[in-house]
Amino acid sequence: KNEVEQSPQNLTAQEGEFITINCSYSVGISALHWLQQHPGGGIVSLFMLSSGKKKHGRLIATINIQEKHSSLHITASHPRDSAVYICAVSPSDSNYQLIWGAGTKLIIKP
Amino acid sequence: DAGVTQSPTHLIKTRGQQVTLRCSPKSGHDTVSWYQQALGQGPQFIFQYYEEEERQRGNFPDRFSGHQFPNYSSELNVNALLLGDSALYLCASSLELIDTEAFFGQGTRLTVV
């Protein structure tokens, strides 16, 4: 079993829909990261959070430390949101590397 | 601020050759981590450099080596290339501890033929 599990693996939605991507992890963490990877490879850090909720524009990330679960929400989705969204955690017993989820491929159709 | 820059962006090498990939971290960042991402998979941690030393290493053979320079830039070297080394190589920079926000480069797409 992977230490970081994301769902769904693939998601196709219509423009304007509310999107939710989930991440569950099985290790103790000091922080959880949501990242976005566009075709071609470049990775952009969206959020780093260790508790509660963060919002940036149309993106919202929440984390429940007790349940070891995080969600990434996109409101009023747009075709330019199409990308792979990756959840990664910083394990609390190691400051040196991230443990990555497999990613969620999101396609937003116009 | 140019952020994290990697070079080259694309590279084609022949099996058995050696390759050097380069990374310049975001201004002010002193820690560089390298990841290998095979097609359709999540990134795999290769190693991290801090203060010009390899601080931690993932499950990669000794053919993978690196270096960090006094200006914090870093190189990833891969010797005796195998077809399976074909991947996107990502560099991430941060401030010392990985649980500060990491910034990623665009990656170097390496193809081994």
Side-chain angles (χ1 to χ4, degrees), chain A:
Chain A
K1 189 181 190 304
N2 294 332
E3 292 168 304
V4 179
E5 298 269 2
Q6 282 186 241
S7 63
Q9 288 186 323
N10 295 281
L11 179 57
T12 300
Q14 291 297 130
E15 182 174 357
E17 287 189 35
F18 181 82
I19 303 298
T20 296
I21 300 171
N22 295 299
C23 175
S24 296
Y25 54 91
S26 58
V27 297
I29 69 168
S30 57
L32 182 142
H33 306 254
W34 281 103
L35 308 113
Q36 180 192 57
Q37 185 171 32
H38 279 281
I43 290 181
V44 176
S45 177
L46 299 174
F47 296 103
M48 185 185 74
L49 62 166
S50 55
S51 65
K53 176 180 175 179
K54 286 190 176 181
K55 184 176 189 293
H56 182 71
R58 295 181 293 106
L59 301 177
I60 303 167
T62 64
I63 187 168
N64 185 316
I65 296 294
Q66 287 72 31
E67 294 185 3
K68 295 188 174 180
H69 181 269
S70 175
S71 293
L72 175 69
H73 305 286
I74 304 175
T75 62
S77 59
H78 189 276
R80 64 174 175 265
D81 297 326
S82 298
V84 175
Y85 292 84
I86 306 173
C87 168
V89 301
S90 302
S92 52
D93 63 351
S94 169
N95 287 326
Y96 303 146
Q97 61 175 290
L98 298 175
I99 302 175
W100 300 74
T104 295
K105 185 175 181 180
L106 174 66
I107 298 173
I108 303 296
K109 294 185 174 181

Side-chain angles (χ1 to χ4, degrees), chain B residues 21-23 25 32 34 49 67-69 72-76:
Chain B
L21 311 181
R22 296 177 176 82
C23 172
V32 174
W34 286 92
Y49 277 84
H67 188 76
Q68 186 178 35
F69 299 93
Y72 307 125
S73 66
S74 177
E75 288 182 350
L76 164 65

Side-chain angles (χ1 to χ4, degrees), chain A residues 30-31 33 35 37 40-43 45 48 90 94-98 100-101, chain B residues 35 37 42-43 45 48 55-56 88 90 97-102 104-106:
Chain A
S30 57
H33 306 254
L35 308 113
Q37 185 171 32
I43 290 181
S45 177
M48 185 185 74
S90 302
S94 169
N95 287 326
Y96 303 146
Q97 61 175 290
L98 298 175
W100 300 74
Chain B
Y35 295 85
Q37 186 178 24
F45 176 73
Q48 184 182 85
R55 185 157 64 172
Q56 193 175 35
L88 180 70
L90 294 160
L97 301 178
I98 197 66
D99 61 350
T100 58
E101 188 171 6
F104 290 83
Q106 290 292 310

Side-chain angles (χ1 to χ4, degrees), chain B residues 16-65:
Chain B
Q17 284 188 314
Q18 180 265 344
V19 68
T20 298
L21 311 181
R22 296 177 176 82
C23 172
S24 294
K26 180 178 170 64
S27 177
H29 283 186
D30 55 10
T31 302
V32 174
S33 303
W34 286 92
Y35 295 85
Q36 180 195 65
Q37 186 178 24
L39 195 62
Q41 300 182 21
Q44 299 294 314
F45 176 73
I46 303 175
F47 42 54
Q48 184 182 85
Y49 277 84
Y50 172 68
E51 290 191 341
E52 301 180 50
E53 291 191 0
E54 182 182 292
R55 185 157 64 172
Q56 193 175 35
R57 187 180 184 91
N59 188 25
F60 278 80
D62 292 344
R63 298 186 298 108
F64 289 77
S65 63

